Amino acid sequence: MELAGTWRKVMPYMAMVFLQFGFAGMFLISVASLRQGMSHYVLVVYRNAVAAVVMAPFALWFERKTRPKMTLLVFFKILALGLLEPVLDQNFIYMGVNNTSASFSSALTNILPAVTFVNAITLRMERINIKERRSQAKIAGTAITVGGAMLMILFKGPIVNFPWTKHISHVFSDSGAHNSGHWLMGTFMILLSCFCWSAFFILQSYTLRSYPCELSLTTLICALGATESGAVALVMERDPKAWSIGFDMRLFTAVYSGIMCSGIAYYVQGIVIKERGPVFVTAFSPLCMIIVTLLGSIILSEVVTLGRLIGAAVIVVGLYALIWSKNKDHVNALDAENNFEKQKTFELPFSTTDVNKTSSLGNI
């Protein structure tokens, strides 16, 4: 029993750490494919089609007895989820990555927990009591995170050389090939991506209450997302050659992103969201940033500047203020649940018949 309790406490943390390694790989291989000329519109279609095909058998088998009926309201929610993440978020993040760099994109997406927190307050999913320390930590963490993101955007500073990059001649730009106009456009796309991703987490949290089947929900999101993004790609990508794919980096990117970052990620995030909420899920992105920064400088020879490092460090401080406050929320919720169970245990065993008997005796 004690081992099972420990595993239940540790599981959400391990799951989110696992996903960050998966997302880090997605950032790196996506940059490589996009710079080889792959269309991000086509990549999104293939990615979600792969995820839907891979996840469908698991959903059909494991949730065949527990899957609730599909209502019109739930269908529209899933349709919106397919639009928010597969279509909008993925296209925006790929455009942002292609116009900046993998390390910059993974660092700037660390504002996601702050955006999610603000949206959760707006929708009254999060409660704020300014007198409580954990509420103060949430507000301070959000402000610090946004400040770190602004620092990353506005201040570059000198290039930071790692031991393995000293022999490489860097040109002072984010990807070695993009001008400041492209860089600003990429930054804007990443910020839009964060907003859409945040909205996706919150809507996923609501949808799971009425459709509590993570595997089926994941499959439907990916299937509808592939259909919606396919319609967008047919309009935006008129060249038939853009759809050609072989046994190369393009195929690997589509398969890896589909299985790891759409299929598995949606399923795992859904499980953790049900237990800890959407803000907790988004609070582990600094690990992805660290992995991408190190591997991006080694594999892709990406430039890392002092301003970006300082801004990323500031964002991490803000994020862990949010994590601390969310952990306090979880502990308080568990304490309240335990106290409620104790009160139920010590209640007097009165029923309506007992009360009627007592009143009739009193009348005698």
Side-chain angles (χ1 to χ4, degrees):
M1 279 298 286
E2 188 176 341
L3 185 62
T6 304
W7 170 247
R8 189 180 175 185
K9 290 178 183 177
V10 172
M11 189 274 288
Y13 293 92
M14 291 183 65
M16 295 316 301
V17 168
F18 168 73
L19 284 187
Q20 296 315 308
F21 277 93
F23 286 136
M26 184 272 292
F27 274 110
L28 295 169
I29 63 173
S30 297
V31 167
S33 292
L34 292 170
R35 289 183 186 170
Q36 288 177 10
M38 187 174 191
S39 167
H40 60 84
Y41 296 110
V42 174
L43 174 56
V44 169
V45 177
Y46 286 150
R47 167 178 169 171
N48 288 282
V50 168
V53 169
V54 170
M55 298 302 291
F58 296 99
L60 290 170
W61 177 257
F62 289 108
E63 294 178 346
R64 63 189 186 281
K65 295 180 180 178
T66 59
R67 192 182 302 110
K69 276 189 175 182
M70 176 64 67
T71 64
L72 192 62
L73 180 60
V74 170
F75 176 76
F76 280 126
K77 285 180 181 177
I78 298 172
L79 201 64
L81 286 168
L83 178 66
L84 281 170
E85 219 289 349
V87 180
L88 296 177
D89 170 51
Q90 289 177 23
N91 276 300
F92 284 147
I93 193 65
Y94 284 142
M95 283 189 275
V97 168
N98 195 34
N99 284 301
T100 57
S101 69
S103 56
F104 178 83
S105 302
S106 64
L108 191 56
T109 52
N110 284 323
I111 69 166
L112 179 62
V115 175
T116 306
F117 174 63
V118 172
N119 287 339
I121 290 176
T122 306
L123 297 171
R124 297 183 179 179
M125 294 178 71
E126 289 279 340
R127 293 180 180 179
I128 291 293
N129 184 352
I130 200 65
K131 294 180 180 178
E132 292 180 346
R133 187 173 293 181
R134 66 178 187 271
S135 293
Q136 294 168 0
K138 288 177 186 177
I139 295 168
T142 302
I144 292 168
T145 301
V146 173
M150 293 302 296
L151 184 62
M152 282 187 64
I153 295 168
L154 299 174
F155 174 64
K156 290 184 178 180
I159 294 174
V160 176
N161 284 312
F162 296 104
W164 54 85
T165 61
K166 287 181 179 178
H167 65 285
I168 299 172
S169 174
H170 291 299
V171 178
F172 193 81
S173 71
D174 274 278
S175 63
H178 298 96
N179 60 33
S180 59
H182 286 157
W183 180 81
L184 287 173
M185 176 61 75
T187 301
F188 182 65
M189 291 299 169
I190 295 167
L191 293 174
L192 280 176
S193 163
C194 288
F195 181 81
C196 295
W197 204 358
S198 167
F200 171 81
F201 281 129
I202 290 172
L203 183 56
Q204 186 184 24
S205 174
Y206 277 118
T207 307
L208 282 167
R209 296 175 188 177
S210 53
Y211 197 81
C213 293
E214 293 87 356
L215 286 168
S216 299
L217 182 61
T218 297
T219 304
L220 289 169
I221 291 171
C222 294
L224 289 174
T227 305
E228 292 168 350
S229 59
V232 172
L234 287 172
V235 174
M236 301 300 294
E237 203 61 67
R238 302 293 179 87
D239 185 5
K241 291 181 182 178
W243 293 85
S244 63
I245 195 167
F247 289 95
D248 52 12
M249 177 61 78
R250 297 183 181 195
L251 178 63
F252 178 71
T253 303
V255 171
Y256 175 87
S257 300
I259 295 174
M260 183 68 221
C261 302
S262 288
I264 294 175
Y266 294 167
Y267 173 63
V268 172
Q269 286 165 358
I271 293 174
V272 178
I273 280 174
K274 283 172 73 174
E275 186 171 340
R276 293 298 188 93
V279 177
F280 179 88
V281 169
T282 60
F284 285 80
S285 46
L287 179 59
C288 176
M289 173 193 65
I290 294 166
I291 299 165
V292 172
T293 300
L294 292 175
L295 293 182
S297 65
I298 297 169
I299 299 170
L300 302 174
S301 301
E302 290 187 341
V303 172
V304 179
T305 65
L306 183 62
R308 309 271 163 80
L309 284 179
I310 295 172
V314 172
I315 287 174
V316 170
V317 172
L319 279 173
Y320 284 103
L322 278 172
I323 288 180
W324 178 86
S325 60
K326 288 303 297 177
N327 187 57
K328 287 291 183 184
D329 282 349
H330 184 64
V331 170
N332 286 353
L334 288 177
D335 289 343
E337 188 179 333
N338 291 335
N339 290 336
F340 179 71
E341 290 296 327
K342 286 178 182 178
Q343 287 175 2
K344 283 176 65 178
T345 304
F346 290 111
E347 279 180 357
L348 291 173
F350 273 142
S351 65
T352 51
T353 52
D354 294 330
V355 172
N356 290 334
K357 285 179 184 177
T358 306
S359 60
S360 59
L361 284 171
N363 291 332
I364 294 170

